Amino acid sequence: MTGTFARGLLAGAAGTTALNALTYADMLRRGRPASTVPAQTAAALADAAGLEVPGKGAERQARTTGLGALLGIGNGLGVGLLASLARAGGIRMPGPVGAVVVGAASMAATDGPTAALGVTDPRTWTTQDWAADAVPHLAYGAAVQAVVSALPTREERVLVRQRASAGLIARSLLLGTAAGGRSSLGLAAPTLTAADTGAVKKLASLVSVGGEVYADKQPGIPARTSPGVLPSRLASGAGGAGLLARRQGQNAALPVLAGAVGAAAGSFGGLGWRRWAADRMPDWQAAVIEDGVAVALALAASLPGRRRSTRLRVVKILD
């Protein structure tokens, strides 16, 4: 048996090897040159950070090529580690589903920054371009999923033999919707309603909610659906759903998905509400109404089962 961190690194290394093998095999089959996107992304990242890549001409190109390759390895190891942490946290997916999800996450982690930096525009890609990108990432996902499934940790944190119930999935959706309105509620609501949560964590949760409620009434706050804000709301909804699943001792895969979907719905729905209310009442009144709805949804999602422990329970692997 191995630890969660080591398993994640092994999974990431296996996935990166599979991805590179498929990429090079495609180059061999089609006789195409190596992609310049990793090097261009590395150069764009350096420029965005205000750093200068030393050298000129071929020397600078060699450095950006090496840096792009290292960034790819880091991406592969990082996503593998996240997959291992997710499994240790109670998220169990069937092999094919896990392969697609992990592969898509790796693909997003690669293509998202390149698109944001203006290195490439996926909207202009051909079908062949998409296939050349998707197939190696699917191989990556399959390798990572195989490793994290085959290597049990020394002590699994949550017993997840029980499938997620319909009630838990529905409550996860509600909690995600609340997190879409007030992102702090995703993690704060399960923490505040748990009977065994310490005073420090409860105080920190209250402060986070109170701070967001105050900040939401201030001018200049970025739109909740903006690229820089929406991911944190999705993560909060998914993370809070994971806490609910851990409290119930059930598989967190579907609740986490429901939490993320709810957060997306709550984010866009809340924005729509504020725009609709803009011509009908002062903005602060609309914000207070939204506060109340978000808190009510969070409580409805988190109060059932609140007497159960949300702490990581140590159990031995049985399979």
Side-chain angles (χ1 to χ4, degrees):
M1 292 188 179
T2 187
T4 302
F5 184 80
R7 179 178 65 180
L9 293 181
L10 288 172
T16 301
T17 300
L19 185 150
N20 289 337
L22 264 290
T23 300
Y24 294 139
D26 181 60
M27 292 169 58
L28 179 64
R29 181 180 66 86
R30 292 197 286 154
R32 66 173 179 86
S35 173
T36 60
V37 170
Q40 292 174 332
T41 303
L45 281 172
D47 290 341
L51 302 175
E52 179 65 28
V53 179
K56 295 182 179 179
E59 182 182 352
R60 184 177 186 275
Q61 179 62 38
R63 287 195 169 99
T64 56
T65 299
L67 181 57
L70 290 174
L71 289 174
I73 293 173
N75 181 327
L77 295 177
V79 174
L81 180 58
L82 290 177
S84 181
L85 289 171
R87 188 169 181 84
I91 299 177
R92 301 291 193 276
M93 293 178 285
V97 175
V100 172
V101 170
V102 175
S106 177
M107 190 172 173
T110 301
D111 297 337
T114 62
L117 292 167
V119 174
T120 184
D121 186 353
R123 293 173 298 181
T124 65
W125 291 2
T126 65
T127 301
Q128 193 174 48
D129 293 333
W130 277 106
D133 192 41
V135 172
H137 281 99
L138 181 60
Y140 170 91
V144 169
Q145 178 68 14
V147 172
V148 296
S149 300
L151 294 179
T153 58
R154 295 187 183 91
E155 295 174 331
E156 279 296 332
R157 291 179 171 179
V158 182
L159 184 62
V160 289
R161 286 187 176 278
Q162 184 178 358
R163 293 181 179 180
S165 64
L168 174 61
I169 295 172
R171 290 193 291 112
S172 297
L173 187 65
L174 288 180
L175 183 60
T177 304
R182 297 292 176 266
S183 60
S184 56
L185 287 172
L187 298 177
T191 301
L192 289 169
T193 55
D196 60 349
T197 302
V200 174
K201 287 185 178 180
K202 287 192 175 183
L203 179 60
S205 297
L206 283 172
V207 169
S208 68
V209 174
E212 184 179 9
V213 167
Y214 172 78
D216 181 70
K217 315 298 186 297
Q218 307 308 306
I221 298 297
R224 68 190 72 191
T225 56
S226 64
V229 177
L230 183 59
S232 64
R233 293 178 182 267
L234 299 181
S236 178
L243 290 178
L244 293 182
R246 185 169 68 191
R247 190 159 74 182
Q248 299 294 128
Q250 297 179 15
N251 191 327
L254 289 179
V256 164
L257 177 61
V261 170
S267 297
F268 285 96
L271 180 62
W273 155 252
R274 297 291 280 272
R275 288 176 174 173
W276 180 87
D279 297 330
R280 295 169 174 80
M281 65 184 73
D283 186 64
W284 70 267
Q285 290 184 4
V288 169
I289 292 174
E290 187 180 12
D291 290 338
V293 172
V295 169
L297 290 175
L299 290 176
S302 302
L303 285 176
R306 61 188 180 277
R307 295 189 181 280
R308 296 179 179 174
S309 175
T310 58
R311 293 176 181 173
L312 295 176
R313 292 179 292 147
V314 176
V315 295
K316 296 295 183 181
I317 290 288
L318 299 179
D319 53 23

